[in-house]
Amino acid sequence: MVEARGLTRRFGNRWALAGIDLSLEAGDCLAVFGPNGAGKTTLLRVLAGLLDPTGGSARVGGIALPGGAATRAQVGLISHHTMLYPALTVRENVEFSARLHGLAAPHAAAAEALARLRVLDRADALVRTLSRGLQQRVSIARAFVHAPRIVLLDEPYTGLDATGAAALTTALAELRGAGAALILVTHHLEEGLAIATRLAVMRDGRFVRAEQREGVDPAAYAAEYRELTAVAG
């Protein structure tokens, strides 16, 4: 589903990605931890087809990057920035995305996505009138509306209350069950360890630690993670 070999991305003289290798199968969830500036968001943006890689190679859903619209059609990107249209209603935002992806029944698809995130009751409200947490739910619904095969999540729980967080966790489990591959970027170890099948710690554009989630002791992992990130500070 997702494969990268020696993936790099440079901004001027700075290497945001300095040689990333990864491989994810259907149903996998990779949790990526790391300090600010490690390159985590850049990695997601490259895999989403929003940034061209500088070097190396990557395939997303079988399509070599940069893949343009073909890559974006398979990907759902969730950011801590909602990137919604504030002057449109909740329903209009999600329907617009459904239409962009060429769905045959955009109205029904939008309603299903909003119901999944437990925000259908606010469908006719203008986005600008919603709280930050409700806007985040709408943003997630928009990212899920086309049933993406690859889901890229950048701090997706930011701003969510308990209801929104539970709805997101349930939706992610459903997507994985349907065969989607997930990459979750988060600063919260507990959050990532709870849903991941694979783990990685990123620093200075590289994975400095990567492993299967199974068998990892959360307390020991947290202590070792603090040591790794302390070196970065």
Side-chain angles (χ1 to χ4, degrees), residues 143-178:
F144 287 175
V145 71
H146 60 298
R149 299 177 65 207
I150 296 97
V151 182
L152 308 174
L153 306 107
D154 192 357
E155 300 289 351
Y157 288 88
T158 299
L160 294 181
D161 60 12
T163 299
L168 174 57
T169 298
T170 298
L172 293 178
E174 291 172 351
L175 285 168
R176 282 186 55 209

Side-chain angles (χ1 to χ4, degrees), residues 15-233:
W15 290 94
L17 302 179
I20 294 291
D21 296 331
L22 66 85
S23 181
L24 294 180
E25 303 294 338
D28 272 338
C29 176
L30 171 67
V32 182
F33 309 110
N36 292 334
K40 304 183 299 297
T41 296
T42 299
L43 174 62
L44 295 189
R45 289 176 61 80
V46 168
L47 293 177
L50 300 178
L51 289 174
D52 290 347
T54 300
S57 64
R59 301 183 72 85
V60 173
I63 299 172
L65 295 182
T71 298
R72 292 192 291 272
Q74 301 189 74
V75 171
L77 175 63
I78 300 169
S79 171
H80 50 282
H81 301 296
T82 65
M83 296 179 290
L84 297 170
Y85 296 102
L88 299 182
T89 68
V90 166
R91 190 191 311 275
E92 286 168 342
N93 267 274
V94 181
E95 277 195 28
F96 180 62
S97 181
R99 294 180 190 279
L100 285 178
H101 285 288
L103 299 189
H107 185 82
E112 181 181 350
L114 291 170
R116 174 182 279 181
L117 271 296
R118 304 179 194 175
V119 73
L120 183 59
D121 61 330
R122 306 300 296 272
D124 296 318
L126 294 176
V127 161
R128 65 172 176 246
T129 68
L130 300 182
S131 68
R132 173 66 177 81
L134 287 176
Q135 288 185 20
Q136 181 70 350
R137 288 201 229 174
V138 177
S139 177
I140 295 167
R142 183 187 59 183
F144 287 175
V145 71
H146 60 298
R149 299 177 65 207
I150 296 97
V151 182
L152 308 174
L153 306 107
D154 192 357
E155 300 289 351
Y157 288 88
T158 299
L160 294 181
D161 60 12
T163 299
L168 174 57
T169 298
T170 298
L172 293 178
E174 291 172 351
L175 285 168
R176 282 186 55 209
L182 280 57
I183 300 179
L184 168 66
V185 163
T186 180
H187 287 291
H188 301 285
L189 295 183
E190 183 178 353
E191 177 183 282
L193 290 168
I195 63 175
T197 60
R198 302 186 185 192
L199 309 171
V201 177
M202 194 170 183
R203 194 182 71 210
D204 299 327
R206 296 181 172 86
F207 287 164
V208 295
R209 176 171 176 171
E211 63 211 287
Q212 296 289 331
R213 165 64 179 92
E214 185 178 3
V216 170
D217 176 72
Y221 191 87
E224 292 160 6
Y225 172 73
R226 285 193 294 271
E227 290 183 5
L228 283 171
T229 55
V231 171

